[in-house]
Amino acid sequence: MDSYRELITEASKFLKDKGADSPFLDALLLMAYAAGDISKEKIITMYPATVPADTKAKFKEYIEKRARGIPVSYIRKRKEFYGLEFFVDESVLVPRPDTEVIVDYTLKLIRENPNLKRIHDVCTGSGCMAIAIKKNASHSIEMSVSDISQDALSVCKKNSLSILGHPLPAVVSDLLLSVNGKFDIIVSNPPYVTTEETSKIKQKGSPEPSLALDGGKDGLELIRKLVPQALELLSPGGYLIFEHHDAQAEESNKICREAGFKQVACLRDLAGRRRATVAQKPYEPD
């Protein structure tokens, strides 16, 4: 008979051999899910106990999925972001801690200036940024979202209802082309992975949508389109804040300056990597 400890230990070794970054944690979380979606702390207290046959079968199924490259978040259908739990499926990217730097900076801006009330999240995906900003804002703000994928907006609506209690205004749009209105802040985690790297990711079996990853030959094609569109929709003095790779920071800054933004800077994550660019629209035209 197999105990929880034995099965988790065996599975973590198997996942390690398959190249998983955090094999033990993955195995622990998947066992907790298989055992009735209980906490991983509870599973640890159950280590000596024998695993029921149905739980063992589910656990084996989940471990096999993880070994094929399916993220734990997709298997469990949820991911924590900014202290909130979000539903995720294969129509959206799994929220990542790197993106929290944009939420932090946006909340800082609206704390310092309560007049920054109209905020839009483009390429919203699961809605993690928009919902986290809305949930943690120090005063009432008008938050809206857009995405090219209707399936992604359905996931965003599901998360909005469960976390905020109401849906956010949403529109299907290729970047900002179908978005109307003026905004004080526009935030985005646009596709910025190169086409070549996206192909490699998909070949490894990742189920994350190419639509949310592929940023063209150098990863910056959509950013080049987004920046001037955002400039048009921002109020004077408004901010554009978008995510990118550390290696894309200098070019992203250059794109913003050439489009007409004046105050441009990088935002760094806890590891010191330049994970986002913030650009302010001039108050007066040149």
Side-chain angles (χ1 to χ4, degrees):
M1 301 294 287
D2 294 307
S3 68
Y4 285 92
R5 182 194 296 273
E6 289 169 338
L7 285 180
I8 291 170
T9 299
E10 180 183 350
S12 62
K13 290 179 180 177
F14 174 66
L15 292 178
K16 183 178 181 180
D17 290 341
K18 293 294 183 178
D21 293 330
S22 52
F24 174 74
L25 179 59
D26 289 356
L28 186 62
L29 288 171
L30 292 174
M31 178 61 85
Y33 186 54
D37 206 8
I38 61 179
S39 71
K40 62 181 184 294
E41 290 79 14
K42 177 66 174 176
I43 285 293
I44 292 173
T45 68
M46 298 162 59
Y47 264 9
T50 299
V51 179
D54 60 336
T55 300
K56 182 177 178 179
K58 290 179 182 177
F59 180 62
K60 181 180 178 181
E61 176 190 347
Y62 299 155
I63 291 298
E64 288 175 349
K65 287 183 177 181
R66 182 69 190 100
R68 295 199 302 270
I70 300 177
V72 171
S73 300
Y74 282 157
I75 299 171
R76 299 168 71 225
K77 299 297 183 184
R78 65 177 183 271
K79 175 68 175 179
E80 183 179 293
F81 177 85
Y82 218 78
L84 303 169
E85 189 170 275
F86 289 84
F87 170 84
V88 293
D89 64 16
E90 288 81 355
S91 62
V92 298
L93 289 182
V94 175
R96 290 163 169 79
D98 297 335
T99 309
E100 293 187 357
V101 68
I102 297 180
V103 178
D104 283 336
Y105 194 81
T106 302
L107 292 172
K108 174 180 177 291
L109 286 175
I110 62 178
R111 278 197 307 269
E112 294 173 349
N113 184 354
N115 291 322
L116 300 174
K117 292 185 176 182
R118 297 164 297 175
I119 306 174
H120 185 79
D121 179 13
V122 54
C123 305
T124 192
S126 66
C128 62
M129 275 203 298
I131 293 168
I133 291 167
K134 178 73 172 177
K135 183 72 172 178
N136 290 279
S138 56
H139 59 269
S140 178
I141 60 172
E142 300 172 23
M143 174 63 72
S144 59
V145 299
S146 62
D147 200 287
I148 197 172
S149 166
Q150 179 61 64
D151 289 340
L153 289 180
S154 296
V155 171
C156 178
K157 182 177 181 180
K158 183 182 182 77
N159 285 320
S160 300
L161 289 169
S162 66
I163 296 172
L164 300 175
H166 59 82
L168 293 173
V171 61
V172 176
S173 179
D174 181 357
L175 297 178
L176 292 166
L177 292 179
S178 300
V179 176
N180 296 315
K182 284 290 184 180
F183 303 99
D184 302 311
I185 302 174
I186 294 174
V187 297
S188 184
N189 180 9
Y192 58 82
V193 179
T194 66
T195 299
E196 181 181 2
E197 186 61 29
T198 299
S199 179
K200 291 178 181 178
I201 291 171
K202 300 302 291 185
Q203 287 172 10
K204 291 179 181 178
S206 172
E208 291 193 293
S210 296
L211 193 63
L213 291 169
D214 192 347
K217 185 175 181 180
D218 65 353
L220 291 167
E221 288 185 11
L222 291 171
I223 289 174
R224 290 191 182 95
K225 295 178 181 178
L226 171 64
V227 170
Q229 291 176 14
L231 188 68
E232 288 295 316
L233 292 184
L234 282 170
S235 302
Y239 297 86
L240 169 64
I241 313 169
F242 62 93
E243 185 173 331
H244 49 67
H245 192 276
D246 178 75
Q248 298 168 329
E250 292 179 10
E251 187 63 25
S252 293
N253 281 214
K254 180 181 177 183
I255 291 169
C256 290
R257 293 190 182 96
E258 290 180 346
F261 285 94
K262 293 302 181 184
Q263 301 297 323
V264 182
C266 287
L267 300 179
R268 296 180 181 269
D269 63 15
L270 293 176
R273 297 170 299 186
R274 300 166 296 178
R275 293 302 320 199
T277 287
V278 54
Q280 187 177 22
K281 179 174 180 175
Y283 284 96
E284 298 293 339
D286 291 336

